[in-house]
């Protein structure tokens, strides 16, 4: 009896509170929602959306760097770009670089993370050693390796007893970039893997040990499946970053396109057309093509992920 | 999300087992390979220019000298570049933290007309970087008269959709009840944001801040496009473009590179925990 009377007393009060919360939510949210976003939105529109729209417009003109006297030329720039073998070469270099870097970095990052995770002592030291190259500015990391790879005075050949012309022969230049990039950027993916490894519940391994699973079984049946998400993320981030190859290629090749143009990346070719040949319209058309490629890769990943999740269900 | 930090609680010392000894030796060997290029740069910076260009090269300087560091400090614009880097990175970090915290909260917790459309557009912005739209972004900034100015370097780095997304995800995870209690006590949206939400978000804000600072300090492409005036260049830029144009002096180049890299290495040593947690957090938030 006492309980019911207590409930009848409390219930109206509670429903009043709920109603009040609901109106507060609606009113406050509606009044202020836009203002929270506004500062970001202003910057975003000015420096992301507007340049994108402007790029689309410029790509339809023959604008030069000053922007004066631009004529509307329709799709001519796109037609020219698609027939420009130098553009396809540059795109090919970026794609080839991506193809070489992504699998290597994924495997290397995983192995380093497993190593750092398994050693019981000095965890901060391993983290520092493997991550520290990532903290160097791209130009600094590139300068270092340019020096290491320079024939004659470079320590790379000296240490390994080689005489390879890393930076001056087109059959090695791309590999020099890949080696430099692995060293410089693997730390980031390494940390992602390390964090993922640390978040796998220990009881899974204990249970498996009780069931008599050896180290190999535990790796294949627990560790690797638990890392599937992070692997997908590492691969996706690396693909997008590698396609945007620019800094290290430019700096290591003395601000040129590499021996026989062999390392000229897509971004580099676009900027050359824009800033060296002053063909802003043409460079904008290539920027838009590049945007479409990046968007296609990102969308492709989303679709793949969705399918995988659905099939897993 | 906080697993990385909680699992780092010190374990009691375990005895050395044979497998631990092998793994540790392997770890030392691999670490040596990773640190070797930085060590090589450091040793080179302590050689004379003549010795740095000697054939065949050797690792350790025969005559240790700080001449390259001195020359760099006296002749170059290094101190200028250092200040420029600091100004640009600090301002970018401050602006990014402010606007992305506000926007992340706005998207996570408020309603307004067209919110889903705006969010969709912002998420699409994740794919657009200065590398992707370099030339049109440059002409836009040129049109605003901001080429060769601090603002031209700073503002285009201040609209990172990724940071908004990370904070948006984090704010979504904060229980609504916390805010509602404050609302009932009569607090307004802004008050709740500053007194309830922000203090709770310190780790996420730290991660966003540290990452913005790192990427801004290390940014090469954008400052390279937007500055011609050597007085305005940032550290990585000045080192790479101006010093290369003198004809390469390796000892000085390495000294300059280490100077440009040092601040972040110091930051990492001090904020290791936050950075590791931040990587874990930003990484996992991307799923």
């Amino acid at each position: 009896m006492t309980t019911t009377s207590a409930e009848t007393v409390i219930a109206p009060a509670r429903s009043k509170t709920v109603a009040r919360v609901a109106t507060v939510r609606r009113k406050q949210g509606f009044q202020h929602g836009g203002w929270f976003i506004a500062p970001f939105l202003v910057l975003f529109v000015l420096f992301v959306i507007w340049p994108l729209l402007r790029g689309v417009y410029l790509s339809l003109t023959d604008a030069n760097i000053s922007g004066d006297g631009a004529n509307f030329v329709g799709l001519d720039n796109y037609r020219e770009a698609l027939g420009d073998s130098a553009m396809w070469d540059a795109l090919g270099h970026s794609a080839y670089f991506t193809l070489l870097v992504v699998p290597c970095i994924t495997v290397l990052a995983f192995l380093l993370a497993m190593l750092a995770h398994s050693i019981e002592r000095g965890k901060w030291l391993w983290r520092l050693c493997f991550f520290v190259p990532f903290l160097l500015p791209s130009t600094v990391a590139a300068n270092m390796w340019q020096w290491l790879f320079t024939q004659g005075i470079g320590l790379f050949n000296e240490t390994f007893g080689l005489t390879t012309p890393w930076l001056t022969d087109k059959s090695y230049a791309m590999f020099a970039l890949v080696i430099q990039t692995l060293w410089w950027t693997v730390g980031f993916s390494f940390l992602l893997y390390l964090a993922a490894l640390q978040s796998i519940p220990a009881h899974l391994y204990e249970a498996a040990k009780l069931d008599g699973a050896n180290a190999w079984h535990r790796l294949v049946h627990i560790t690797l499946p638990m890392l599937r998400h992070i692997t997908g993320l590492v691969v996706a981030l690396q693909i997008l970053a590698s396609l945007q190859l620019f800094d290290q290629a430019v700096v290591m090749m003395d601000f040129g396109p590499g021996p026989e143009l062999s390392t000229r990346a897509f971004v580099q070719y676009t900027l050359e057309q824009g800033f060296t040949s002053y063909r802003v319209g043409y460079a904008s058309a290539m920027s838009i093509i590049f945007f479409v490629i990046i968007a296609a890769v990102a969308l492709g990943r989303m679709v793949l992920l969705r399918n995988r999740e659905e099939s897993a269900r | 999300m906080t697993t990385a930090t909680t699992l780092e609680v010190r374990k009691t010392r375990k005895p050395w087992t044979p497998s631990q000894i092998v793994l540790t030796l392997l770890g030392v060997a691999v670490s040596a390979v990773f640190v070797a290029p930085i060590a090589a740069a450091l040793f080179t910076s302590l050689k004379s220019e003549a010795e740095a260009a000697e054939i065949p090269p050797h690792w350790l300087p025969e005559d240790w000298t700080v001449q390259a560091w001195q020359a760099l400090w006296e002749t170059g614009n290094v101190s200028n570049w250092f200040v420029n880097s600091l100004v640009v990175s600090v301002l970018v970090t401050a602006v990014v933290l402010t606007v992305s915290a506000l926007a992340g909260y706005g998207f996570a917790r408020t309603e307004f007309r067209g919110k889903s459309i705006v969010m969709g557009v912002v998420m699409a912005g994740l794919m657009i970087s200065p590398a992707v739209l370099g030339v049109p972004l440059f002409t836009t900034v040129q049109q605003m008269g901001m080429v060769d100015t601090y603002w031209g370097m700073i503002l285009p780095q201040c609209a990172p959709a990724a940071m908004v997304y990370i904070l948006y995800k984090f704010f979504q995870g904060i229980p609504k009840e916390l805010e509602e209690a404050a609302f009932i006590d009569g607090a307004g949206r802004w008050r709740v944001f500053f007194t309830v939400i922000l203090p709770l978000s310190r780790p996420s804000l730290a991660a966003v801040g540290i990452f913005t600072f790192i990427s801004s300090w290390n940014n090469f492409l954008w400052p390279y496009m937007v500055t011609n005036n050597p007085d305005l260049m940032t550290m990585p830029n000045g080192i790479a473009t101006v010093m290369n144009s003198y004809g390469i002096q390796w000892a000085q180049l390495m000294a300059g590179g280490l100077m440009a890299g040092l601040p972040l290495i110091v930051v990492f040593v001090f904020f290791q925990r936050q950075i590791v947690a931040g990587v874990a957090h930003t990484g996992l938030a991307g799923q």
Side-chain angles (χ1 to χ4, degrees):
Chain A
M1 273 305 181
T2 47
T3 49
T4 44
S5 67
E7 264 168 20
T8 49
V9 173
I10 292 168
R14 189 189 284 158
S15 72
K16 213 183 268 172
T17 314
V18 169
R20 173 129 187 243
V21 168
T23 49
V24 163
R25 229 185 234 175
R26 220 177 309 122
K27 218 167 87 188
Q28 300 276 7
F30 193 75
Q31 278 176 346
H32 295 299
W35 291 113
F36 278 97
I37 319 244
F40 172 76
L41 217 53
V42 170
L43 289 167
F44 187 74
V45 167
L46 280 179
F47 296 107
V48 179
I49 300 300
W50 177 246
L52 179 63
L53 297 176
R54 197 175 153 78
V56 172
Y57 162 75
L58 285 170
S59 73
L60 302 172
T61 71
D62 61 358
N64 60 19
I65 197 82
S66 69
D68 299 331
N71 299 308
F72 190 79
V73 295
L75 293 175
D76 281 4
N77 285 326
Y78 289 94
R79 219 168 287 140
E80 186 187 341
L82 296 180
D84 180 355
S85 64
M87 186 204 83
W88 288 109
D89 283 348
L91 185 59
H93 298 149
S94 295
Y96 182 46
F97 174 81
T98 305
L99 225 57
L100 290 173
V101 162
V102 174
C104 292
I105 243 178
T106 311
V107 172
L108 191 61
F110 169 70
L111 292 177
L112 290 177
M114 283 295 281
L115 182 63
H117 186 62
S118 325
I119 305 177
E120 279 158 9
R121 281 161 205 245
K123 289 209 188 292
W124 67 271
L125 181 70
W126 318 120
R127 279 199 316 231
L128 181 68
C129 289
F130 300 154
F131 190 69
V132 110
F134 184 74
L135 290 168
L136 295 173
S138 56
T139 55
V140 172
N143 279 143
M144 278 183 188
W145 282 84
Q146 186 190 12
W147 178 74
L148 287 170
F149 277 139
T150 299
Q151 246 190 319
I153 64 165
L155 277 170
F156 192 87
N157 280 347
E158 180 69 17
T159 307
F160 295 106
L162 305 168
T163 50
T164 313
W166 289 103
L167 303 176
T168 50
D169 185 320
K170 75 168 191 175
S171 37
Y172 300 107
M174 190 58 90
F175 292 105
L177 289 186
V178 170
I179 293 171
Q180 189 269 354
T181 306
L182 286 180
W183 175 81
W184 174 45
T185 60
V186 74
F188 186 78
S189 304
F190 155 77
L191 278 197
L192 285 181
Y193 268 122
L194 192 62
L197 280 174
Q198 288 177 344
S199 67
I200 299 177
H203 66 80
L204 287 180
Y205 291 106
E206 280 152 21
K209 264 187 205 163
L210 286 180
D211 291 344
N214 62 25
W216 174 252
H217 285 140
R218 294 198 296 269
L219 174 72
V220 173
H221 295 293
I222 301 175
T223 312
L224 290 181
M226 294 295 280
L227 293 178
R228 253 216 329 254
H229 264 296
I230 211 77
T231 302
L233 183 71
V234 165
V235 169
L237 290 177
Q238 287 302 333
I239 289 177
L240 291 179
S242 306
L243 282 176
Q244 297 182 26
L245 166 69
F246 176 75
D247 299 15
Q248 61 268 52
V250 165
V251 174
M252 278 172 75
M253 302 303 160
D254 267 335
F255 289 80
E260 296 172 57
L261 311 181
S262 60
T263 62
R264 181 155 74 185
F266 194 88
V267 175
Q268 196 176 357
Y269 186 56
T270 308
L271 298 185
E272 274 175 27
Q273 287 298 317
F275 296 125
T276 317
S277 309
Y278 302 123
R279 299 190 60 201
V280 165
Y282 189 52
S284 296
M286 283 198 291
S287 293
I288 300 298
I289 292 173
F290 194 46
F291 171 70
V292 171
I293 292 171
I294 297 277
V297 170
L299 280 178
R301 170 183 180 248
M302 262 171 58
V303 171
L304 271 179
L305 268 186
R306 195 163 298 163
N307 284 345
R308 204 191 295 159
E309 267 164 28
E310 269 162 20
S311 63
R313 242 167 241 156
Chain B
M1 293 296 158
T2 53
T3 40
T5 41
T6 49
L7 283 179
E8 270 168 53
V9 176
R10 289 261 153 118
K11 290 169 200 144
T12 46
R13 290 242 146 173
K14 286 180 187 165
W16 287 98
T17 60
S19 68
Q20 277 299 312
I21 294 173
V22 171
L23 282 171
T24 308
L25 289 177
L26 193 61
V28 170
V30 178
S31 301
V33 172
F34 263 81
V35 177
I38 297 176
L42 180 65
F43 292 142
T44 305
S45 76
L46 295 169
K47 292 174 181 173
S48 66
E49 285 302 340
E51 203 189 331
E54 242 167 49
I55 300 174
H58 43 266
W59 280 81
L60 292 174
E62 273 154 14
D63 296 310
W64 297 75
T65 165
V66 291
Q67 148 275 330
W69 292 81
Q70 252 169 1
L72 189 72
W73 201 250
E74 281 158 14
T75 60
N77 304 330
V78 173
S79 45
N80 244 338
W81 296 337
F82 197 92
V83 172
N84 290 340
S85 272
L86 209 60
V87 169
V88 170
S89 308
V90 167
L91 283 179
V92 167
T93 307
V95 176
V96 166
L97 271 178
T98 311
V99 300
S100 53
L102 287 171
Y105 183 74
F107 283 132
R109 281 300 158 77
T110 64
E111 294 301 330
F112 54 93
R113 227 168 290 153
K115 181 172 126 175
S116 56
I117 297 171
V118 176
M119 261 206 83
V121 173
V122 172
M123 290 306 106
L126 284 171
M127 292 176 294
I128 308 175
S129 66
V132 175
L133 280 184
V135 174
L137 180 60
F138 175 80
T139 62
T140 306
V141 170
Q142 191 184 35
Q143 216 181 21
M144 297 173 180
M146 296 199 298
V147 171
D148 265 333
T149 65
Y150 273 133
W151 292 120
M153 272 192 280
I154 292 166
L155 290 177
Q157 298 188 50
C158 287
M163 298 302 165
V164 173
Y165 183 71
I166 288 166
L167 290 177
Y168 159 72
K169 277 287 183 193
F170 179 80
F171 292 145
Q172 268 193 330
I174 297 179
K176 279 197 170 131
E177 289 72 22
L178 281 174
E179 285 172 275
E180 273 154 15
F183 284 144
I184 289 163
D185 292 343
R189 264 278 172 222
W190 292 94
R191 184 120 175 247
V192 169
F193 176 71
F194 284 110
T195 57
V196 179
I197 300 293
L198 282 190
L200 279 173
S201 323
R202 237 175 264 150
S204 287
L205 293 172
V208 166
I210 291 167
F211 276 106
T212 306
F213 190 84
I214 292 179
S215 65
S216 174
W217 183 277
N218 287 346
N219 195 349
F220 169 65
L221 179 59
W222 181 246
Y224 173 67
M225 287 199 294
V226 86
T227 54
N228 296 309
N229 181 355
D231 290 339
L232 269 177
M233 283 181 180
T234 56
M235 202 70 184
N237 245 270
I239 300 285
T241 54
V242 176
M243 292 199 42
N244 260 339
S245 67
Y246 292 159
I248 299 184
Q249 294 186 298
W250 289 110
Q252 275 195 43
L253 195 60
M254 294 300 144
L258 289 172
M259 237 187 253
L262 207 59
L264 292 188
I265 295 176
V266 172
V267 167
F268 182 77
V269 170
F270 280 105
F271 292 100
Q272 228 197 103
R273 216 158 268 246
Q274 283 90 329
I275 292 177
V276 174
V279 171
H281 181 79
T282 49
L284 296 173
Q287 316 244 323

